[in-house]
Every structure is written in structure tokens, then in C-alpha cells.
Amino acid sequence: EAAVTQSPRNKVTVTGGNVTLSCRQTNSHNYMYWYRQDTGHGLRLIHYSYGAGNLQIGDVPDGYKATRTTQEDFFLLLELASPSQTSLYFCASSEGRGATAETLYFGSGTRLTVL
Amino acid sequence: AQKVTQTQTSISVVEKTTVTMDCVYETRDSSYFLFWYKQTASGEIVFLIRQDSYKKENATVGHYSLNFQKPKSSIGLIITATQIEDSAVYFCAMREDTEGADRLTFGKGTQLIIQP
């Protein structure tokens, strides 16, 4: 079973604050993703990566940066947090394309509140 | 751009009955992949089942099956003999089969409530 660990589980910050959400996967998956989940919107893709040093833009990237430092670690950065970024954030990983390889394995989520 | 629509916000059924959750999608590709994921009350999200567009046979895994109607761009999830633990939010998702299309687009989800 793939393991994806997110930290912190909960985070509260103020408007304009600097926040980093962390994600680590321990199954040598190539692909990693950051999603946000909001009521009425489902899961929306922020950024994703094919591997260390690679970054791809998702569907709702404004206000977010991301960095993939290693194959295991993927970070989401909010440099000037705004209340609109209050959300539940999920990290996910997958092996790649094709059949079972593209099954997404999700972390437990990080609940971020921006006051 | 691909789009996935789940119009049912919430469904409530009695335990041990069969339920169908709807999902329609939009894509320009002739080849694509469809998925269903489940989010439990604890927030955990897990993969359930998938359908490849080129396959005519509906996928089945355990008590989950799909009703794939390609001409209608529809992929319904059928759960038979529902159990209390099937109560969750179910997400439909799609990936197009084109170079560079390496991410899923999710619907907004359908909350399923199983009553005893």
C-alpha cells in the first residue's frame, strides 16, 4: 500500500502569512499532485510534478508555488496567504501512466485556515 | 478542456439496496480514462474502480460496477447490496489520453448516505 504523509494536519495563519505544506511519499512514485478541496467545488488541481525538479501548473495555481526537491518530497508554498486559500489540501502520488500505475494515493490532508 | 459533472449532491438509500450515482463528462479526445474515488467520513480518499474508454465491457470490482454509456458521455457508479460503511462522498474523475495530459479532473462529488 502506497504511503503518502502530509504535514502539518492543521495550520492556522493570518492574511499575508507565509505557509509551507509538506508531502512525502515512500513508494518511489514519479508523479505527485497538490489538490485543494472546497465545498461545492470538489477536488481541484493546484500543481503537480513528474519528478524531482519538475513542476507543472494545474487548474487553480494562482497564489501558490510548489517545489519537488526529491522524488519523495513535494512542497506547496503560500507566500502571501489570503482567506480565499482557506481549504483542505490533499497531496497525492502515482507511479505514472497506464493501468494500475496511475491510481492516485492520497495523503490524509492538511486543513489550512487563513484568518 | 475536459470537464466532469456530478449533478447529484446527495443521495440517501436504505441499507442492502442498490444505488446508482451519475457522472457525465466532456472531452475532445477519442481515448480517455474514467475513475471513481471514495472519500470516507475521516477524509481518507481511496481509488475504487476505473473504465478505459476503448473497453466495451463495464468494469466491476467487488460490489462496485460501472454503467459506461459512451454515446451519452456517461459513467455511472453502481453499488449493490449497500452497507452502512458505504456512506461516503464519491468522486468521478477523468484523464484524457493525450501527450502531457497526466492529471485527473474531478467532479464535485456525490454524498451517499446509507440508512439502516
Side-chain angles (χ1 to χ4, degrees), chain A residues 2-79:
Chain A
V4 180
T5 303
Q6 292 183 235
S7 62
R9 288 299 305 270
N10 294 281
K11 176 72 177 179
V12 179
T13 190
V14 296
T15 299
N18 194 322
V19 176
T20 298
L21 306 185
S22 302
C23 178
R24 165 166 284 198
Q25 53 94 5
T26 57
N27 284 275
S28 301
H29 284 173
N30 293 315
Y31 291 44
M32 295 186 75
Y33 308 80
W34 277 107
Y35 285 90
R36 62 177 288 175
Q37 183 179 18
D38 305 286
T39 303
H41 291 279
L43 292 162
R44 294 183 290 174
L45 183 65
I46 305 170
H47 290 297
Y48 62 110
S49 167
Y50 297 143
N54 177 268
L55 182 64
Q56 303 294 319
I57 295 174
D59 299 320
V60 290
D62 292 347
Y64 302 96
K65 293 184 179 179
T67 179
R68 180 91 177 267
T69 55
T70 65
Q71 187 172 26
E72 295 77 21
D73 299 303
F74 195 30
F75 300 94
L76 186 67
L77 296 79
L78 292 73
E79 294 183 332

Side-chain angles (χ1 to χ4, degrees), chain A residues 98-100 102, chain B residues 33-36 47-52 59 66:
Chain A
T100 58
E102 61 186 298
Chain B
F33 308 94
L34 301 161
F35 307 82
W36 281 88
F47 165 75
L48 290 179
I49 191 169
R50 107 182 228 158
Q51 179 80 36
D52 298 346
L66 297 178

Side-chain angles (χ1 to χ4, degrees), chain A residues 31 33 35 37 40-43 45 48 50 57-59 90 97-99 102-104 106, chain B residues 35 37 39 43 45 47 50 91 95-108:
Chain A
Y31 291 44
Y33 308 80
Y35 285 90
Q37 183 179 18
H41 291 279
L43 292 162
L45 183 65
Y48 62 110
Y50 297 143
I57 295 174
D59 299 320
F90 284 98
R97 278 199 172 197
E102 61 186 298
T103 297
L104 290 184
F106 284 85
Chain B
F35 307 82
Y37 282 79
Q39 184 175 32
I45 303 174
F47 165 75
R50 107 182 228 158
F91 291 100
R95 179 178 76 76
E96 294 172 329
D97 189 20
T98 56
E99 188 64 32
D102 291 307
R103 80 275 194 101
L104 296 187
T105 295
F106 284 83
K108 295 181 180 181

Side-chain angles (χ1 to χ4, degrees), chain B residues 8-90:
Chain B
Q8 300 159 306
T9 304
S10 181
I11 300 174
S12 180
V13 300
V14 176
E15 190 180 12
K16 301 180 183 177
T17 60
T18 295
V19 64
T20 298
M21 283 172 274
D22 300 329
C23 176
V24 293
Y25 54 89
E26 296 177 21
T27 179
R28 297 177 185 174
D29 282 5
S30 58
S31 178
Y32 48 88
F33 308 94
L34 301 161
F35 307 82
W36 281 88
Y37 282 79
K38 171 184 178 181
Q39 184 175 32
T40 63
S42 67
E44 180 186 19
I45 303 174
V46 295
F47 165 75
L48 290 179
I49 191 169
R50 107 182 228 158
Q51 179 80 36
D52 298 346
S53 64
Y54 58 86
K55 293 185 177 179
K56 294 184 178 180
E57 187 172 325
N58 289 321
T60 298
V61 176
H63 75 144
Y64 303 107
S65 62
L66 297 178
N67 179 18
F68 181 40
Q69 300 185 59
K70 195 170 183 179
K72 295 184 178 181
S73 296
S74 171
I75 183 74
L77 173 67
I78 303 167
I79 306 177
T80 57
T82 52
Q83 304 162 18
I84 297 296
E85 51 265 34
D86 291 324
S87 296
V89 177
Y90 291 81

